[in-house]
Amino acid sequence: MAAGGIDNPHVAQYGYDDTYYVPQPSRWPLLSSLAATCLFSGFVLLFNDLPLGWSVSVVGLVAVLACMIGWWMDVASESEASRYKVWEDVSFRWGMGWFIASEVMFFAAFFGALFYARAIAVPDLASETSKVLWPSFQAGWPTKGPYGEVDFSTIGAFGIPALNTLILLTSGITVTWAHWAMKVNNRSQLVLGLAATVGLGLIFLGFQAYEYIHAYADLNLKLTSGIYGSTFFMLTGFHGLHVTVGTIALMVILLRCLLGHFRPDNHFGFEAVAWYWHFVDVVWLALFVIVYWL
């Protein structure tokens, strides 16, 4: 679909065909919506101990993954067929920028919940007014769970969390190395940088899984451990989900690079994942300081 003619100033200045590729109607949005509905319906059944919870969840998860793979393959084939040019690139960049902005709002809400609980709600519950209702409440952090009856230990900052911080910071360097290699068309270093980033992401997730097992089994730190436990697992778990998504996306980009996709002047698929990965790094730094350290 033409967006301008030969007199368009963009054509005269930059020398490109000022058009915008409009694909045929796609089946993937509808199928993805149905798959997501199936997945979350399974979660509802599972969390309420209703029949078929696991079955519906697994079917939904497989359907979501199938839709992701099919949709990504279509987009990759359109990109490799040179159907995406300047204006499609602009759209993709704006779309990814707004997506990351929406993710910032998610984490802002969760960090805000932690701030409210720690700096406002807990001190207020120990105020002179509130002592009429809860005379034995102590305004310490972390709180000891509902009614002060849950005994648990916290996870120190300078153990696995500090190691995971080093791992994620290193992964930010390796993905930047891969981006540099992409720009200079050094395919071998591009693949090495991406493979190292994927490996570091998997190591991070492995350490986080170990940390969760240790918290539940040895420290009695659980989702039910009051506001501290719920905000701890909400923030670290939601971030871990983002690391998982980012690692999967990096695997897809690595596979595409092995297949010879992308060029030094046309690789926004790679850049979008790199943006996302740097966002995950920054969020972890805030999480490490606020949740584990302070």
Side-chain angles (χ1 to χ4, degrees):
M1 180 176 69
I6 193 171
D7 296 328
N8 191 294
H10 292 288
V11 178
Q13 182 177 356
Y14 300 110
Y16 58 76
D17 183 19
D18 193 11
T19 60
Y20 195 99
Y21 171 67
V22 179
Q24 294 297 316
S26 173
R27 62 190 181 278
W28 296 120
L30 175 61
L31 292 178
S32 298
S33 299
L34 294 174
T37 300
C38 180
L39 176 62
F40 286 103
S41 297
F43 287 167
V44 171
L45 295 174
L46 188 63
F47 294 158
N48 288 279
D49 294 323
L50 297 173
L52 301 178
W54 276 109
S55 300
V56 176
S57 298
V58 170
V59 170
L61 177 61
V62 171
V64 168
L65 293 175
C67 289
M68 290 170 62
I69 293 171
W71 204 339
W72 286 351
M73 288 179 65
D74 283 357
V75 173
S77 64
E78 290 170 355
S79 176
E80 290 304 303
S82 299
R83 294 176 179 173
Y84 300 151
K85 296 182 175 64
V86 173
W87 290 114
E88 291 84 358
D89 185 78
V90 170
S91 293
F92 288 145
R93 290 176 185 276
W94 272 104
M96 192 64 191
W98 283 115
F99 171 70
I100 291 176
S102 71
E103 295 291 281
V104 170
M105 294 300 103
F106 267 117
F107 279 103
F110 293 159
F111 278 114
L114 175 61
F115 170 79
Y116 181 83
R118 184 170 181 175
I120 299 176
V122 169
D124 182 67
L125 289 172
S127 67
E128 292 300 322
T129 303
S130 298
K131 281 187 178 297
V132 176
L133 297 175
W134 301 282
S136 60
F137 184 83
Q138 300 295 320
W141 187 264
T143 64
K144 292 300 181 181
Y147 311 107
E149 297 175 356
V150 179
D151 188 20
F152 62 89
S153 300
T154 60
I155 297 175
F158 298 100
I160 288 179
L163 181 59
N164 267 348
T165 302
L166 178 62
I167 289 170
L168 273 191
L169 290 177
T170 305
S171 73
I173 296 173
T174 56
V175 78
T176 303
W177 168 33
H179 192 194
W180 168 84
M182 172 74 78
K183 288 184 174 180
V184 298
N185 202 28
N186 188 327
R187 307 295 292 193
S188 60
Q189 291 197 31
L190 168 63
V191 170
L192 284 174
L194 279 174
T197 309
V198 169
L200 289 168
L202 293 173
I203 292 171
F204 176 93
L205 292 172
F207 276 128
Q208 189 170 52
Y210 172 81
E211 181 182 78
Y212 276 16
I213 294 171
H214 173 59
Y216 263 71
D218 303 323
L219 304 180
N220 199 36
L221 176 58
K222 305 176 181 179
L223 275 168
T224 55
S225 301
I227 188 63
Y228 179 85
S230 60
T231 53
F232 173 83
F233 284 105
M234 177 177 64
L235 280 162
T236 59
F238 196 60
H239 179 268
L241 173 63
H242 280 70
V243 175
T244 302
V245 171
T247 303
I248 294 172
L250 285 167
M251 289 177 178
V252 173
I253 296 300
L254 174 59
L255 176 60
R256 290 189 62 187
C257 289
L258 291 172
L259 294 174
H261 292 193
F262 302 119
R263 301 187 303 275
D265 60 342
N266 183 16
H267 56 269
F268 179 68
F270 174 94
E271 286 185 296
V273 175
W275 289 3
Y276 186 84
W277 195 253
H278 288 309
F279 161 73
V280 168
D281 287 352
V282 172
V283 171
W284 175 259
L285 289 176
L287 196 152
F288 172 73
V289 172
I290 296 172
V291 175
Y292 287 98
W293 194 349
L294 295 181

Short mmCIF file of all heavy atoms in Angstrom, two decimals, residues 2-48:
data_model
loop_
_atom_site.label_atom_id
_atom_site.label_comp_id
_atom_site.label_asym_id
_atom_site.label_seq_id
_atom_site.Cartn_x
_atom_site.Cartn_y
_atom_site.Cartn_z
N ALA A 2 0.74 2.10 -0.96
CA ALA A 2 1.59 3.27 -1.06
C ALA A 2 1.24 4.28 0.01
O ALA A 2 0.09 4.56 0.26
CB ALA A 2 1.45 3.90 -2.45
N ALA A 3 2.28 4.83 0.63
CA ALA A 3 2.08 5.86 1.63
C ALA A 3 2.47 7.23 1.11
O ALA A 3 2.34 8.22 1.78
CB ALA A 3 2.90 5.54 2.89
N GLY A 4 2.99 7.29 -0.07
CA GLY A 4 3.39 8.56 -0.64
C GLY A 4 3.86 8.37 -2.06
O GLY A 4 4.14 7.26 -2.50
N GLY A 5 4.01 9.42 -2.79
CA GLY A 5 4.40 9.31 -4.18
C GLY A 5 5.83 9.74 -4.38
O GLY A 5 6.62 9.87 -3.46
N ILE A 6 6.17 10.01 -5.66
CA ILE A 6 7.54 10.34 -6.01
C ILE A 6 7.96 11.70 -5.44
O ILE A 6 9.13 11.99 -5.26
CB ILE A 6 7.70 10.31 -7.54
CG1 ILE A 6 9.19 10.34 -7.91
CG2 ILE A 6 6.96 11.49 -8.17
CD1 ILE A 6 9.44 10.09 -9.37
N ASP A 7 6.96 12.54 -5.14
CA ASP A 7 7.26 13.86 -4.59
C ASP A 7 7.44 13.85 -3.08
O ASP A 7 7.69 14.89 -2.48
CB ASP A 7 6.13 14.85 -4.95
CG ASP A 7 6.04 15.08 -6.45
OD1 ASP A 7 7.10 15.01 -7.11
OD2 ASP A 7 4.92 15.31 -6.94
N ASN A 8 7.27 12.70 -2.45
CA ASN A 8 7.40 12.61 -1.00
C ASN A 8 8.81 13.00 -0.59
O ASN A 8 9.79 12.49 -1.15
CB ASN A 8 7.10 11.18 -0.54
CG ASN A 8 6.96 11.08 0.96
OD1 ASN A 8 7.93 11.28 1.69
ND2 ASN A 8 5.76 10.77 1.40
N PRO A 9 8.99 13.90 0.38
CA PRO A 9 10.33 14.35 0.75
C PRO A 9 11.22 13.24 1.29
O PRO A 9 12.44 13.29 1.16
CB PRO A 9 10.06 15.41 1.84
CG PRO A 9 8.68 15.11 2.33
CD PRO A 9 7.94 14.58 1.15
N HIS A 10 10.60 12.18 1.91
CA HIS A 10 11.42 11.07 2.41
C HIS A 10 12.09 10.33 1.26
O HIS A 10 13.24 9.92 1.37
CB HIS A 10 10.55 10.09 3.21
CG HIS A 10 10.04 10.68 4.48
ND1 HIS A 10 10.84 10.92 5.57
CD2 HIS A 10 8.79 11.10 4.84
CE1 HIS A 10 10.13 11.43 6.55
NE2 HIS A 10 8.88 11.57 6.14
N VAL A 11 11.37 10.17 0.14
CA VAL A 11 11.93 9.49 -1.01
C VAL A 11 13.08 10.29 -1.57
O VAL A 11 14.15 9.77 -1.92
CB VAL A 11 10.84 9.26 -2.09
CG1 VAL A 11 11.45 8.59 -3.31
CG2 VAL A 11 9.72 8.41 -1.52
N ALA A 12 12.87 11.62 -1.69
CA ALA A 12 13.90 12.47 -2.26
C ALA A 12 15.14 12.54 -1.37
O ALA A 12 16.27 12.55 -1.85
CB ALA A 12 13.34 13.88 -2.48
N GLN A 13 14.92 12.57 -0.05
CA GLN A 13 16.04 12.74 0.86
C GLN A 13 16.81 11.46 1.10
O GLN A 13 18.04 11.45 1.11
CB GLN A 13 15.53 13.30 2.20
CG GLN A 13 16.65 13.55 3.22
CD GLN A 13 16.11 14.17 4.50
OE1 GLN A 13 14.93 14.48 4.59
NE2 GLN A 13 16.99 14.37 5.47
N TYR A 14 16.08 10.34 1.30
CA TYR A 14 16.73 9.10 1.69
C TYR A 14 16.81 8.07 0.56
O TYR A 14 17.50 7.07 0.69
CB TYR A 14 16.01 8.49 2.89
CG TYR A 14 15.99 9.40 4.09
CD1 TYR A 14 14.80 10.00 4.52
CD2 TYR A 14 17.15 9.68 4.79
CE1 TYR A 14 14.78 10.84 5.63
CE2 TYR A 14 17.15 10.53 5.89
CZ TYR A 14 15.96 11.11 6.31
OH TYR A 14 15.95 11.94 7.39
N GLY A 15 16.09 8.27 -0.50
CA GLY A 15 16.20 7.39 -1.64
C GLY A 15 15.56 6.04 -1.48
O GLY A 15 16.02 5.06 -2.06
N TYR A 16 14.53 5.91 -0.68
CA TYR A 16 13.86 4.62 -0.55
C TYR A 16 12.41 4.74 -1.00
O TYR A 16 11.83 5.82 -1.05
CB TYR A 16 13.93 4.08 0.88
CG TYR A 16 13.35 4.98 1.94
CD1 TYR A 16 11.97 5.10 2.11
CD2 TYR A 16 14.19 5.68 2.80
CE1 TYR A 16 11.44 5.91 3.10
CE2 TYR A 16 13.67 6.50 3.79
CZ TYR A 16 12.30 6.60 3.94
OH TYR A 16 11.79 7.40 4.91
N ASP A 17 11.86 3.59 -1.34
CA ASP A 17 10.46 3.52 -1.76
C ASP A 17 9.57 3.69 -0.55
O ASP A 17 9.59 2.86 0.37
CB ASP A 17 10.22 2.17 -2.44
CG ASP A 17 8.79 2.07 -2.96
OD1 ASP A 17 8.14 3.12 -3.12
OD2 ASP A 17 8.34 0.94 -3.19
N ASP A 18 8.78 4.75 -0.54
CA ASP A 18 7.99 5.10 0.64
C ASP A 18 6.68 4.30 0.64
O ASP A 18 5.61 4.84 0.37
CB ASP A 18 7.72 6.61 0.62
CG ASP A 18 7.19 7.10 1.96
OD1 ASP A 18 7.24 6.32 2.92
OD2 ASP A 18 6.74 8.24 2.02
N THR A 19 6.79 3.02 0.95
CA THR A 19 5.62 2.14 1.00
C THR A 19 5.57 1.42 2.34
O THR A 19 6.54 1.43 3.10
CB THR A 19 5.66 1.09 -0.13
OG1 THR A 19 6.84 0.29 0.03
CG2 THR A 19 5.68 1.76 -1.49
N TYR A 20 4.41 0.83 2.60
CA TYR A 20 4.23 0.09 3.85
C TYR A 20 3.60 -1.25 3.52
O TYR A 20 2.53 -1.30 2.90
CB TYR A 20 3.34 0.88 4.82
CG TYR A 20 3.39 0.38 6.24
CD1 TYR A 20 4.18 1.02 7.18
CD2 TYR A 20 2.67 -0.74 6.63
CE1 TYR A 20 4.24 0.58 8.50
CE2 TYR A 20 2.74 -1.20 7.93
CZ TYR A 20 3.52 -0.54 8.86
OH TYR A 20 3.60 -1.00 10.15
N TYR A 21 4.25 -2.32 3.95
CA TYR A 21 3.76 -3.67 3.64
C TYR A 21 2.58 -4.02 4.54
O TYR A 21 2.66 -3.93 5.76
CB TYR A 21 4.89 -4.69 3.84
CG TYR A 21 4.42 -6.12 3.74
CD1 TYR A 21 3.98 -6.64 2.52
CD2 TYR A 21 4.41 -6.95 4.86
CE1 TYR A 21 3.55 -7.96 2.42
CE2 TYR A 21 3.98 -8.27 4.76
CZ TYR A 21 3.55 -8.76 3.55
OH TYR A 21 3.12 -10.06 3.45
N VAL A 22 1.47 -4.41 3.93
CA VAL A 22 0.28 -4.83 4.66
C VAL A 22 0.03 -6.31 4.34
O VAL A 22 -0.33 -6.64 3.20
CB VAL A 22 -0.96 -4.00 4.29
CG1 VAL A 22 -2.18 -4.49 5.05
CG2 VAL A 22 -0.71 -2.52 4.58
N PRO A 23 0.25 -7.23 5.28
CA PRO A 23 0.07 -8.65 5.00
C PRO A 23 -1.40 -9.01 4.87
O PRO A 23 -2.29 -8.24 5.24
CB PRO A 23 0.69 -9.33 6.22
CG PRO A 23 0.53 -8.32 7.31
CD PRO A 23 0.67 -6.97 6.66
N GLN A 24 -1.64 -10.20 4.38
CA GLN A 24 -2.99 -10.72 4.31
C GLN A 24 -3.51 -10.99 5.74
O GLN A 24 -2.72 -11.17 6.66
CB GLN A 24 -3.02 -12.02 3.50
CG GLN A 24 -2.68 -11.84 2.03
CD GLN A 24 -3.68 -10.95 1.32
OE1 GLN A 24 -4.88 -11.09 1.51
NE2 GLN A 24 -3.18 -10.02 0.52
N PRO A 25 -4.84 -10.99 5.92
CA PRO A 25 -5.38 -11.29 7.25
C PRO A 25 -4.79 -12.58 7.81
O PRO A 25 -4.70 -13.60 7.12
CB PRO A 25 -6.89 -11.42 7.00
CG PRO A 25 -7.13 -10.54 5.81
CD PRO A 25 -5.91 -10.69 4.94
N SER A 26 -4.36 -12.52 9.07
CA SER A 26 -3.66 -13.64 9.70
C SER A 26 -4.59 -14.41 10.63
O SER A 26 -5.48 -13.85 11.27
CB SER A 26 -2.46 -13.11 10.49
OG SER A 26 -1.85 -14.15 11.23
N ARG A 27 -4.35 -15.71 10.72
CA ARG A 27 -5.11 -16.57 11.63
C ARG A 27 -4.53 -16.56 13.04
O ARG A 27 -5.19 -16.99 13.98
CB ARG A 27 -5.12 -18.01 11.11
CG ARG A 27 -3.73 -18.64 11.04
CD ARG A 27 -3.76 -19.96 10.30
NE ARG A 27 -2.46 -20.61 10.23
CZ ARG A 27 -1.53 -20.32 9.35
NH1 ARG A 27 -1.74 -19.35 8.47
NH2 ARG A 27 -0.38 -20.97 9.33
N TRP A 28 -3.29 -16.05 13.19
CA TRP A 28 -2.61 -16.20 14.46
C TRP A 28 -3.21 -15.39 15.61
O TRP A 28 -3.23 -15.89 16.76
CB TRP A 28 -1.12 -15.85 14.29
CG TRP A 28 -0.42 -16.80 13.38
CD1 TRP A 28 0.22 -16.49 12.21
CD2 TRP A 28 -0.30 -18.22 13.53
NE1 TRP A 28 0.73 -17.62 11.62
CE2 TRP A 28 0.43 -18.71 12.41
CE3 TRP A 28 -0.74 -19.13 14.50
CZ2 TRP A 28 0.73 -20.05 12.26
CZ3 TRP A 28 -0.44 -20.47 14.34
CH2 TRP A 28 0.28 -20.92 13.23
N PRO A 29 -3.71 -14.18 15.42
CA PRO A 29 -4.32 -13.48 16.56
C PRO A 29 -5.48 -14.24 17.19
O PRO A 29 -5.57 -14.36 18.41
CB PRO A 29 -4.76 -12.14 15.95
CG PRO A 29 -3.83 -11.92 14.81
CD PRO A 29 -3.58 -13.28 14.24
N LEU A 30 -6.38 -14.76 16.34
CA LEU A 30 -7.52 -15.52 16.86
C LEU A 30 -7.07 -16.80 17.54
O LEU A 30 -7.51 -17.12 18.66
CB LEU A 30 -8.51 -15.82 15.73
CG LEU A 30 -9.71 -16.71 16.11
CD1 LEU A 30 -10.54 -16.02 17.20
CD2 LEU A 30 -10.56 -17.01 14.88
N LEU A 31 -6.18 -17.54 16.89
CA LEU A 31 -5.72 -18.80 17.47
C LEU A 31 -4.96 -18.56 18.77
O LEU A 31 -5.10 -19.32 19.74
CB LEU A 31 -4.83 -19.54 16.47
CG LEU A 31 -5.52 -20.07 15.21
CD1 LEU A 31 -4.52 -20.74 14.28
CD2 LEU A 31 -6.64 -21.06 15.59
N SER A 32 -4.16 -17.49 18.82
CA SER A 32 -3.42 -17.19 20.04
C SER A 32 -4.35 -16.81 21.18
O SER A 32 -4.13 -17.19 22.34
CB SER A 32 -2.42 -16.05 19.78
OG SER A 32 -1.47 -16.42 18.81
N SER A 33 -5.42 -16.08 20.87
CA SER A 33 -6.39 -15.72 21.90
C SER A 33 -7.08 -16.95 22.46
O SER A 33 -7.26 -17.09 23.68
CB SER A 33 -7.44 -14.75 21.32
OG SER A 33 -6.83 -13.56 20.87
N LEU A 34 -7.46 -17.87 21.58
CA LEU A 34 -8.11 -19.10 22.03
C LEU A 34 -7.15 -19.94 22.86
O LEU A 34 -7.53 -20.53 23.89
CB LEU A 34 -8.60 -19.90 20.82
CG LEU A 34 -9.73 -19.26 20.01
CD1 LEU A 34 -10.03 -20.09 18.76
CD2 LEU A 34 -10.99 -19.11 20.86
N ALA A 35 -5.88 -20.01 22.43
CA ALA A 35 -4.89 -20.79 23.18
C ALA A 35 -4.66 -20.19 24.56
O ALA A 35 -4.58 -20.91 25.56
CB ALA A 35 -3.58 -20.84 22.39
N ALA A 36 -4.55 -18.86 24.64
CA ALA A 36 -4.35 -18.21 25.94
C ALA A 36 -5.56 -18.41 26.85
O ALA A 36 -5.41 -18.62 28.06
CB ALA A 36 -4.08 -16.72 25.73
N THR A 37 -6.76 -18.36 26.27
CA THR A 37 -7.97 -18.60 27.06
C THR A 37 -7.97 -20.02 27.63
O THR A 37 -8.31 -20.24 28.80
CB THR A 37 -9.22 -18.40 26.19
OG1 THR A 37 -9.24 -17.06 25.70
CG2 THR A 37 -10.48 -18.66 26.99
N CYS A 38 -7.55 -20.98 26.80
CA CYS A 38 -7.46 -22.36 27.27
C CYS A 38 -6.43 -22.48 28.40
O CYS A 38 -6.69 -23.14 29.42
CB CYS A 38 -7.08 -23.27 26.10
SG CYS A 38 -6.92 -25.02 26.52
N LEU A 39 -5.28 -21.84 28.23
CA LEU A 39 -4.23 -21.93 29.24
C LEU A 39 -4.68 -21.36 30.58
O LEU A 39 -4.55 -22.02 31.63
CB LEU A 39 -2.99 -21.18 28.74
CG LEU A 39 -1.81 -21.09 29.72
CD1 LEU A 39 -1.28 -22.47 30.06
CD2 LEU A 39 -0.70 -20.22 29.13
N PHE A 40 -5.25 -20.17 30.56
CA PHE A 40 -5.64 -19.56 31.83
C PHE A 40 -6.90 -20.19 32.41
O PHE A 40 -7.08 -20.18 33.64
CB PHE A 40 -5.82 -18.05 31.65
CG PHE A 40 -4.50 -17.33 31.49
CD1 PHE A 40 -4.06 -16.91 30.25
CD2 PHE A 40 -3.70 -17.11 32.59
CE1 PHE A 40 -2.84 -16.26 30.11
CE2 PHE A 40 -2.48 -16.46 32.47
CZ PHE A 40 -2.04 -16.04 31.22
N SER A 41 -7.76 -20.77 31.57
CA SER A 41 -8.87 -21.54 32.10
C SER A 41 -8.35 -22.77 32.85
O SER A 41 -8.88 -23.14 33.91
CB SER A 41 -9.80 -21.98 30.96
OG SER A 41 -10.37 -20.86 30.31
N GLY A 42 -7.31 -23.38 32.29
CA GLY A 42 -6.69 -24.51 32.99
C GLY A 42 -6.11 -24.10 34.33
O GLY A 42 -6.23 -24.83 35.32
N PHE A 43 -5.49 -22.89 34.38
CA PHE A 43 -4.95 -22.40 35.65
C PHE A 43 -6.07 -22.21 36.68
O PHE A 43 -5.90 -22.54 37.86
CB PHE A 43 -4.23 -21.07 35.44
CG PHE A 43 -2.91 -21.20 34.74
CD1 PHE A 43 -2.26 -20.08 34.23
CD2 PHE A 43 -2.30 -22.42 34.57
CE1 PHE A 43 -1.04 -20.19 33.59
CE2 PHE A 43 -1.09 -22.56 33.92
CZ PHE A 43 -0.46 -21.43 33.43
N VAL A 44 -7.22 -21.66 36.23
CA VAL A 44 -8.35 -21.46 37.14
C VAL A 44 -8.82 -22.80 37.70
O VAL A 44 -9.05 -22.95 38.92
CB VAL A 44 -9.50 -20.74 36.43
CG1 VAL A 44 -10.75 -20.73 37.30
CG2 VAL A 44 -9.10 -19.31 36.07
N LEU A 45 -8.94 -23.79 36.83
CA LEU A 45 -9.35 -25.12 37.28
C LEU A 45 -8.31 -25.71 38.24
O LEU A 45 -8.66 -26.31 39.27
CB LEU A 45 -9.54 -26.05 36.08
CG LEU A 45 -10.65 -25.70 35.09
CD1 LEU A 45 -10.60 -26.63 33.89
CD2 LEU A 45 -12.02 -25.80 35.77
N LEU A 46 -7.04 -25.53 37.90
CA LEU A 46 -5.96 -26.11 38.70
C LEU A 46 -5.90 -25.48 40.09
O LEU A 46 -5.80 -26.18 41.11
CB LEU A 46 -4.64 -25.92 37.96
CG LEU A 46 -3.41 -26.61 38.53
CD1 LEU A 46 -3.59 -28.12 38.50
CD2 LEU A 46 -2.18 -26.21 37.72
N PHE A 47 -5.98 -24.16 40.15
CA PHE A 47 -5.85 -23.46 41.43
C PHE A 47 -7.05 -23.70 42.36
O PHE A 47 -6.94 -23.53 43.57
CB PHE A 47 -5.67 -21.97 41.21
CG PHE A 47 -4.38 -21.60 40.52
CD1 PHE A 47 -4.26 -20.39 39.84
CD2 PHE A 47 -3.31 -22.46 40.54
CE1 PHE A 47 -3.07 -20.06 39.21
CE2 PHE A 47 -2.12 -22.16 39.91
CZ PHE A 47 -1.99 -20.95 39.25
N ASN A 48 -8.17 -24.11 41.77
CA ASN A 48 -9.35 -24.38 42.57
C ASN A 48 -9.60 -25.88 42.76
O ASN A 48 -10.68 -26.28 43.18
CB ASN A 48 -10.58 -23.73 41.92
CG ASN A 48 -10.57 -22.22 42.05
OD1 ASN A 48 -10.93 -21.67 43.07
ND2 ASN A 48 -10.12 -21.53 40.99
#
